[in-house]
Amino acid sequence: MATIEILGVPHAYELTAPTNYPHTLVFIHGWLNSRGYWQPVISRLSDDFQCLSYDLRGFGESQSKLKTDFSQEQNYFSLSTKSSRAVVDPFDSVYTPAAYTQDLADLLQQLNVKSAWLIGHSLGGTIALWGAAQMPECVKGVICINSGGGIYLKEAFEQFRSAGQRFLQVRPKWLGQLPLIDLLFTRASVARPLERNWARQRVIDFVVADPEAALGALLDSTTEEEINCLPGLVAQLKQPIYFLAGAEDKVMEPKYVRHLASFHPLFSYCGDNVIEIPDCGHLAMLEQPDAVATHIRSLVKNQSSVVNC
């Protein structure tokens, strides 16, 4: 594991060897996940594409040197007023998708990555879209996986945010030591049970995520302002933008993926930039790595052919 310091936080990353393909594939994980979830897809692509994966600030191994203990974590939740705030400027907080994109821009600059396709899962997809807007010269295209939205349903989002906060509060450090706790994570948000090793990784990532980052990323990515700005963001992008949806995804249903995709010119009239993966829930890169890798390969190769023509 290599690290690069960004805003005082060491960011863990993995970069595969260069290839003849001129653009680096940059993989951005979702909320409470880490870079390792991309390994099955990267292993299928790295012979032909240079691949970069990294842990977002506060997740995985991209942690501040000052660790927060359990009592401090509980105090943070009790004192937090974030649940009621509205983000006016997307750069005000360090946990908005736009702010995470600034981290990404710094990472790419330090690694001298000048041309990239951004591939983001769930929250990572939103970060990738912001990346395309903020770095138009560097970002050649975006592939969003299990990522969409752009419709703010007040009651539904309030329930989601409240449930997310309660979920985060129940995670003592010893949780990962409970026998069979990983079995719960084999089935959460997926169409078919995951292998136990991935379930164990989900438990680890759930427990080790920095409390402020976990709560901040949840709340700052689901404000009314943040959700409502996504369609306009997608509409202004000049790069090719594609969306992979899980047919059985209950977290980000395909209809919401199509809604956001429809604001981009590639959507045309029938969703030409949306690909639905059968028998797939919210973790497509783990549930269907062959399909995800095949679609990524096809999309980036085909786009390069179009540009070259």
Side-chain angles (χ1 to χ4, degrees), residues 139-160:
V139 178
K140 305 307 178 185
V142 172
I143 300 174
C144 293
I145 299 175
N146 301 116
S147 182
I151 305 175
Y152 188 80
L153 305 173
K154 186 174 186 294
E155 184 177 349
F157 271 95
E158 287 179 350
Q159 291 176 352
F160 176 76

Side-chain angles (χ1 to χ4, degrees), residues 1-271:
M1 179 195 72
T3 61
I4 281 180
E5 188 163 304
I6 301 172
L7 296 178
V9 177
H11 278 60
Y13 73 92
E14 295 179 41
L15 181 64
T16 64
T19 69
N20 291 330
Y21 188 72
H23 315 302
T24 300
L25 306 187
V26 181
F27 294 84
I28 310 167
H29 68 76
W31 186 61
L32 294 181
N33 294 163
S34 62
R35 70 186 189 281
Y37 294 62
W38 293 113
Q39 188 277 329
V41 172
I42 289 176
S43 68
R44 291 162 167 80
L45 294 172
S46 58
D47 285 346
D48 299 310
F49 308 94
Q50 183 175 49
C51 299
L52 169 64
S53 59
Y54 71 104
D55 289 338
L56 295 172
R57 178 171 19 88
F59 299 95
E61 296 180 284
S62 293
Q63 301 280 347
S64 171
K65 296 170 184 175
L66 298 176
K67 297 297 182 181
T68 304
D69 64 26
F70 182 61
S71 62
Q72 290 175 314
E73 179 174 333
Q74 294 304 303
N75 188 51
Y76 173 79
F77 277 100
S78 66
L79 295 176
S80 175
T81 58
K82 289 188 176 187
S83 58
S84 61
R85 75 181 171 197
V87 175
V88 177
D89 184 339
F91 298 97
D92 277 348
S93 166
V94 295
Y95 299 116
T96 62
Y100 271 116
T101 302
Q102 295 284 36
D103 292 347
L104 172 60
D106 197 338
L107 177 68
L108 297 183
Q109 182 178 28
Q110 291 195 51
L111 292 175
N112 198 32
V113 174
K114 300 184 183 301
S115 183
W117 272 76
L118 303 184
I119 301 164
H121 170 254
S122 197
L123 171 62
T126 303
I127 295 170
L129 294 172
W130 275 97
Q134 291 184 29
M135 301 178 285
E137 297 301 318
C138 173
V139 178
K140 305 307 178 185
V142 172
I143 300 174
C144 293
I145 299 175
N146 301 116
S147 182
I151 305 175
Y152 188 80
L153 305 173
K154 186 174 186 294
E155 184 177 349
F157 271 95
E158 287 179 350
Q159 291 176 352
F160 176 76
R161 288 154 66 90
S162 178
Q165 291 179 77
R166 291 195 301 270
F167 181 61
L168 288 175
Q169 285 179 301
V170 188
R171 54 186 197 116
K173 301 303 182 185
W174 46 259
L175 183 67
Q177 305 303 317
L178 289 180
L180 306 181
I181 186 66
D182 56 316
L183 287 178
L184 296 176
F185 287 78
T186 63
R187 298 178 178 274
S189 305
V190 294
R192 292 183 297 178
L194 297 174
E195 295 179 3
R196 291 283 292 274
N197 64 306
W198 288 118
R200 284 191 288 272
Q201 186 61 50
R202 295 182 75 183
V203 174
I204 292 170
D205 290 329
F206 172 61
V207 170
V208 304
D210 176 79
E212 184 173 344
L215 183 60
L218 169 70
L219 298 181
D220 287 345
S221 65
T222 57
T223 63
E224 183 174 359
E225 289 79 7
E226 185 71 38
I227 298 300
N228 286 338
C229 82
L230 283 177
L233 179 68
V234 172
Q236 74 174 7
L237 296 177
K238 305 302 182 185
Q239 305 96 320
I241 311 295
Y242 296 99
F243 295 79
L244 303 186
E248 309 300 326
D249 191 345
K250 305 304 181 187
V251 178
M252 182 55 67
E253 297 178 32
K255 63 182 178 181
Y256 297 122
V257 175
R258 289 182 177 276
H259 173 77
L260 187 58
S262 70
F263 290 90
H264 192 269
L266 280 179
F267 186 84
S268 188
Y269 296 101
C270 55

